[in-house]
Amino acid sequence: MARTDAIVLGAGIVGTSVALHLAKRGLSVALVDRAGVGEQTSYGNAGIIEGNTILPPAFPSDAGALMRIALKRASEANYHLSFLPHVLPWLLAFRAASRPDRLAETAHLIRPLFSRAVAEHEALMAEAGATHYLRKNGWLKIYRGEKSFAALAPEFDLAAKFGLPLQALDTAGGQALEPSLNPVFAHAVFWPEAASVSNPLGVTRAYAARFTALGGIILSGDARSLHRTGNRWRAETNEGALDAAECVVALGPWTPDLLKILGLSLPLAVKRGYHRHFRATGNAGLSRPILDAEVGYLVTPMEQGIRLTTGAEFAARDADPSPAQFDRIMPRARALFPLGEPADGKTWLGSRPCLPDSRPVIGRAPGQAGLWLAVGHAHWGLTLGPATGRMIAEMMAGEPPFCDPAPYRAERFN
Ligand SMILES: Cc1cc2nc3c(=O)[nH]c(=O)nc-3n(C[C@H](O)[C@H](O)[C@H](O)COP(=O)(O)OP(=O)(O)OC[C@H]3O[C@@H](n4cnc5c(N)ncnc54)[C@H](O)[C@@H]3O)c2cc1C
């Protein structure tokens, strides 16, 4: 096989963006996946490029909410009882990272990366001919009660500090933006600088096509075949063994499968999530993603229909689907928006790859020369794929990274 400078393992939005940024710097790159480009987690998400993310998702601080989740009466979260002992250490670390002071610290640490999210997508979309997927019309979060809206005060303070615009709206204001919403909410917040896409799979495929146009190759292979040979990394592919001095791991929720073989470990858990597609009734429509904050789901207009995505389910990554949250969500969702018949009758399950401090790992793998990690993007892998790709490529090329990589080092878990 021809000279390869770098192997990228995993062709989700993160790995594909990394591969494209490396190819743009003139490197000879092979992108390896056992499935099709963008067909796993990066296919089924809610399509939000959430560049104005401020606070990460937090462990519930409200005893009532926790009790509802424990009793499996919550619509926003679910769990498999048999899985709890396995995920307990992660949950405790997540709870510790959810203290108000830690959340505020995280907000400051992640801002430089998130602030580039939309611009980095726009740049790649322009060269990949994918701009038609992009909607730069923000997203709307609705709040049914006063308590949940009042709890936003710290986030509004941080938004002002970061210079992020928002509009706090009443019911009529929310309906002015989205006329098909019913007045089941008291408040809405419009975040105009968020963007979204109408087909996340289409976006990743377009970036992959741009990558191959620049000379990159996409191969089928099992990432778990990666091993050292001399001072290089070798992966087995359908076209034979592939050697390179540098290798980037971007395996999303499957990252631990390879790290374990290499003797590395990260506290990576999954928050599973589901989606279903619906038609809208009559002339109803949506222009942008809507978060129903207390109920804990999103509805987003996609090419396939209205995509309804669920919140977190704590269960083993490979356990059978258990989409019980839909039973609790559907009556509330139908009350908000006139969802019609299922568009394709399918229920999709994906796994958000999450670290307990809600920051991805982007940088060198500890103690493994030439190995890089771009993993753990949790709720924001679509958002951060291109920014991560730029950052890794800059570091690998010896250029100064556009933002401080220290918050993303794997060593923070040592
Ligand atoms: C319900 C839901 C809604 C979401 N909504 C949003 C949103 O609105 N905005 C947002 O920014 N993010 C969202 N996310 C999160 C986002 O989808 C993920 O963070 C992102 O897709 C992760 O991308 P990735 O490239 O790391 O992983 P993946 O897309 O899973 O890519 C990993 C790749 O590795 C490959 N692979 C795995 N094991 C092997 C192996 N052994 N050999 C070869 N290849 C292998 C897989 O086939 C896959 O292609 C959501 C997630 C869910 C579940």
Side-chain angles (χ1 to χ4, degrees), residues 9-16 32-50 221-224 250-255 257 271-275 298 300 309-311 348-353 374-384:
L9 298 173
I13 185 64
V14 175
T16 303
V32 178
D33 203 300
R34 63 184 172 191
V37 166
E39 289 180 356
Q40 302 302 314
T41 329
S42 299
Y43 156 68
N45 56 59
I48 305 170
I49 303 174
E50 208 187 339
D222 190 333
R224 292 169 297 184
L251 294 169
W254 292 275
T255 299
D257 298 4
K271 292 187 199 168
R272 306 202 314 175
Y274 299 85
H275 85 217
L298 267 145
T300 312
T309 56
T310 65
W348 174 85
L349 166 63
S351 296
R352 304 171 182 92
V375 301
H377 289 73
H379 296 251
W380 303 301
L382 173 68
T383 298
L384 292 178

Side-chain angles (χ1 to χ4, degrees), residues 28-108:
S28 160
V29 182
L31 178 59
V32 178
D33 203 300
R34 63 184 172 191
V37 166
E39 289 180 356
Q40 302 302 314
T41 329
S42 299
Y43 156 68
N45 56 59
I48 305 170
I49 303 174
E50 208 187 339
N52 58 190
T53 290
I54 299 176
L55 293 171
F59 193 88
S61 56
D62 175 324
L66 204 52
M67 188 55 76
R68 273 189 297 106
I69 295 171
L71 295 173
K72 287 184 169 277
R73 290 196 189 131
S75 47
E76 69 271 30
N78 193 24
Y79 65 93
H80 289 187
L81 188 59
S82 60
F83 186 63
L84 284 189
H86 301 282
V87 79
L88 190 63
W90 188 95
L91 284 174
L92 292 174
F94 180 51
R95 191 179 65 168
S98 299
R99 286 197 326 255
D101 58 324
R102 293 277 309 275
L103 288 178
E105 182 194 10
T106 302
H108 282 89

Side-chain angles (χ1 to χ4, degrees), residues 54-313:
I54 299 176
L55 293 171
F59 193 88
S61 56
D62 175 324
L66 204 52
M67 188 55 76
R68 273 189 297 106
I69 295 171
L71 295 173
K72 287 184 169 277
R73 290 196 189 131
S75 47
E76 69 271 30
N78 193 24
Y79 65 93
H80 289 187
L81 188 59
S82 60
F83 186 63
L84 284 189
H86 301 282
V87 79
L88 190 63
W90 188 95
L91 284 174
L92 292 174
F94 180 51
R95 191 179 65 168
S98 299
R99 286 197 326 255
D101 58 324
R102 293 277 309 275
L103 288 178
E105 182 194 10
T106 302
H108 282 89
L109 290 174
I110 64 178
R111 185 90 296 270
L113 187 62
F114 277 82
S115 66
R116 283 289 281 270
V118 176
E120 293 299 331
H121 263 291
E122 276 190 285
L124 294 192
M125 283 176 182
E127 61 181 270
T131 306
H132 57 285
Y133 294 118
L134 182 66
R135 292 180 297 239
K136 286 184 74 180
N137 61 353
W139 73 315
L140 189 68
K141 304 184 185 182
I142 62 129
Y143 299 84
R144 293 168 184 251
E146 297 303 324
K147 196 174 158 197
S148 58
F149 182 70
L152 297 174
E155 193 173 8
F156 287 178
D157 288 348
L158 282 169
K161 206 166 168 181
F162 295 150
L164 284 173
L166 66 93
Q167 290 169 30
L169 305 168
D170 58 12
T171 314
Q175 287 180 305
L177 279 174
E178 292 290 350
S180 296
L181 295 185
N182 292 316
V184 294
F185 57 97
H187 299 279
V189 181
F190 177 49
W191 295 88
E193 290 201 351
S196 60
V197 298
S198 58
N199 185 340
L201 174 63
V203 172
T204 309
R205 283 182 173 163
Y207 294 173
R210 174 70 182 144
F211 164 69
T212 53
L214 291 175
I217 54 168
I218 301 176
L219 297 172
S220 177
D222 190 333
R224 292 169 297 184
S225 65
L226 188 78
H227 60 280
R228 273 245 172 243
T229 159
N231 59 355
R232 294 169 75 78
W233 291 101
R234 173 170 294 177
E236 306 297 335
T237 76
N238 60 340
E239 297 201 12
L242 189 66
D243 287 4
E246 314 245 35
C247 177
V248 184
V249 179
L251 294 169
W254 292 275
T255 299
D257 298 4
L258 173 61
L259 293 195
K260 202 171 160 197
I261 294 168
L262 299 176
L264 292 168
S265 90
L266 284 174
L268 193 116
V270 295
K271 292 187 199 168
R272 306 202 314 175
Y274 299 85
H275 85 217
R276 285 181 184 163
H277 293 136
F278 297 89
R279 298 189 203 294
T281 305
N283 292 328
L286 289 176
S287 306
R288 55 177 66 74
I290 313 291
L291 171 73
D292 189 341
E294 288 115 309
V295 186
Y297 69 92
L298 267 145
V299 277
T300 312
M302 290 282 177
E303 287 179 359
Q304 297 92 339
I306 303 288
R307 179 174 289 181
L308 189 154
T309 56
T310 65
E313 181 184 61

